[in-house]
Amino acid sequence: MAVIDASVTIALVNAKEREHARCWAWFEQARAADESIVAPVILLSEVAAALSRGVGDPTLAHRVVQQLARSKVIELIPVTLAMAEQAAVIAVEHRIRGCDAVYVALADQLSDTLVTLDRQQLERGAALVTVRAP
């Protein structure tokens, strides 16, 4: 199983992203191995914001969010109070941005690997969970 963050998801859905090919290759390999892929439900708002602001395409952002919400490939996990509290501790103690700490907390709760392109998560999150780039 793998927890993916918004950086990987954005690279997957946007062929203009520098890491698109690398993320797509990882994604196809994970699917071929029948690996479960999960993300906290905040993935929706993070991807929507990145595509709307970064790409400047609100229509694309809406379409991708709808596809993610209905996806049978990426399971979206609700953020519980316990997860939010754990993420807050992670944010404070490891100086990880708030939403990024939620991905780390989910990977920790599931005893899973976090797959990310985010340097801060790769470096600081590794103190808590297995973290790797795609």
Side-chain angles (χ1 to χ4, degrees), residues 44-120:
L44 297 178
S45 61
E46 288 207 293
V47 169
L51 291 175
S52 182
R53 289 178 311 144
V55 178
D57 190 345
T59 302
L60 173 64
H62 284 296
R63 188 173 63 239
V64 169
V65 165
Q66 289 172 356
Q67 289 172 344
L68 286 170
R70 293 189 307 256
S71 175
K72 302 223 185 295
V73 177
I74 300 172
E75 179 184 357
L76 298 176
I77 307 293
V79 177
T80 63
L81 180 57
M83 187 188 306
E85 289 173 336
Q86 182 181 6
V89 171
I90 290 168
V92 170
E93 293 182 0
H94 298 276
R95 297 183 352 253
I96 296 177
R97 289 180 296 270
C99 285
D100 291 347
V102 174
Y103 293 94
V104 175
L106 178 59
D108 185 52
Q109 286 185 0
L110 298 175
S111 298
D112 205 355
T113 299
L114 173 60
V115 180
T116 182
L117 295 169
D118 184 278
R119 184 180 315 169
Q120 188 181 90

